Amino acid sequence: RSTLFPYTTLFRSVKFVFEEENTIIPPTGQKVVRVEPDDGVTKVNSLTKAIKENGDGIYELERGGIYYLEGKNVISSNVTIRATYGSGSLPTIQPLSDEQGALNSDMLRFEGNATFENIYFNGKDAASNSIMQRLFRLDKKNLRLRFEGCFVENCRNFCIRTDNSGSKVYIDNSTFRNLALTSDPANGRLLDRKSTRLNSSHVKLS
C-alpha cells in the first residue's frame, strides 16, 4: 500500500468541499470586500467609498440590496464588482439626485479596469424618475470594461462612452435596454467612441 494514498484521499475530500460550498478563492493578493447596501437617506455611495478606501480587489454586493450613486462617482482602481453567491434578486446600482435635485450626467466614470458580474443597473433617478444622460464613461486610455450576466436599462443619450483610445469593452450574456427617449431618436447609442479608436468590442450572446 502506497504511503501517498492517505494524502491523495485528503486532497480529493478538500476539493469536494470547495465544490459543494461554491467557495471562490481569489488570486493571491486580491482582497474581497463585502459592501452593505445603502438606504438612500443616511447612507449613499457606499460602493465607491469602499473602493476608495480599499483599492484594487473584488467587491461583493448583497442580493436584493440597492446601492445609490449621488454626485460624481469615479472608480480609479482595478475592480471586480459582483453579486454575492446564491439565489435572489440581483443587487441594484442606481443614481440618486442630491438635495437640490441635481443629477450627475454620468452614473459611473472609470480610470481603472472594471468587471461587473450579475448586477442590475437602473439609470432612472430613484428620487425623481428622471433618466440618466449617460451611464458608463471611460476617462483614460487602454481600459477594460466587462459586463457578465448583467441587466442594464434606462439611459437617454449613450450607455457606454470612451473618451480615449485603446480601450476594450466586453458584454457577455447581458441585457441592455431602454437606451433612448422616443422624443429624441437620434440618441440611444449603446457605445459611443467620440472619434476615438477601440482595440476591440466584444459581444457574446447566449
Side-chain angles (χ1 to χ4, degrees):
R1 179 175 176 178
S2 172
T3 56
L4 293 177
F5 180 78
Y7 297 98
T8 304
T9 304
L10 175 60
F11 292 153
R12 286 176 178 170
S13 298
V14 172
K15 181 179 180 182
F16 173 79
V17 171
F18 285 156
E19 292 176 346
E20 185 69 20
E21 295 180 356
N22 291 280
T23 301
I24 299 174
I25 301 178
T28 301
Q30 195 169 21
K31 67 184 75 174
V32 178
V33 179
R34 179 73 65 90
V35 184
E36 296 297 322
D38 293 317
D39 59 19
V41 180
T42 63
K43 190 178 179 184
V44 297
N45 294 334
S46 291
L47 173 58
T48 48
K49 288 177 181 177
I51 294 172
K52 287 180 181 179
E53 181 179 346
N54 295 280
D56 295 356
I58 298 172
Y59 292 82
E60 291 192 336
L61 308 188
E62 183 177 304
R63 286 184 175 268
I66 301 179
Y67 296 80
Y68 294 109
L69 297 175
E70 181 183 279
K72 183 178 180 180
N73 282 273
V74 181
I75 295 178
S76 301
S77 302
N78 299 312
V79 298
T80 293
I81 299 170
R82 69 189 185 196
T84 53
Y85 175 78
S87 58
S89 302
L90 299 181
T92 298
I93 295 179
Q94 185 173 9
L96 179 66
S97 53
D98 62 22
E99 294 179 354
Q100 288 71 44
L103 188 66
N104 199 268
S105 297
D106 305 286
M107 187 164 69
L108 279 171
R109 303 182 72 149
F110 300 92
E111 295 179 355
N113 302 318
T115 295
F116 295 97
E117 300 175 2
N118 301 312
I119 304 294
Y120 169 50
F121 295 92
N122 185 357
K124 185 179 291 186
D125 174 29
S128 67
N129 286 330
S130 296
I131 303 297
M132 287 289 298
Q133 183 176 351
R134 300 180 289 266
L135 297 188
F136 312 103
R137 189 167 181 169
L138 283 67
D139 288 335
K140 289 190 173 182
K141 293 182 178 181
N142 303 316
L143 294 180
R144 303 294 180 264
L145 179 62
R146 182 184 296 272
F147 300 89
E148 298 180 4
C150 294
F151 195 103
V152 183
E153 65 176 346
N154 297 323
C155 174
R156 62 185 174 88
N157 190 332
F158 56 78
C159 185
I160 304 169
R161 172 172 169 167
T162 176
D163 291 330
N164 293 282
S165 62
S167 294
K168 291 185 178 182
V169 177
Y170 300 90
I171 300 174
D172 296 340
N173 193 29
S174 297
T175 298
F176 286 70
R177 71 175 189 178
N178 298 338
L179 303 183
L181 293 176
T182 55
S183 60
D184 188 12
N187 278 300
R189 297 181 290 276
L190 172 62
L191 180 63
D192 192 326
R193 296 184 296 137
K194 288 298 177 186
S195 300
T196 62
R197 181 179 178 181
L198 284 175
N199 275 351
S200 69
S201 58
H202 173 71
V203 179
K204 179 179 180 182
L205 301 177
S206 60

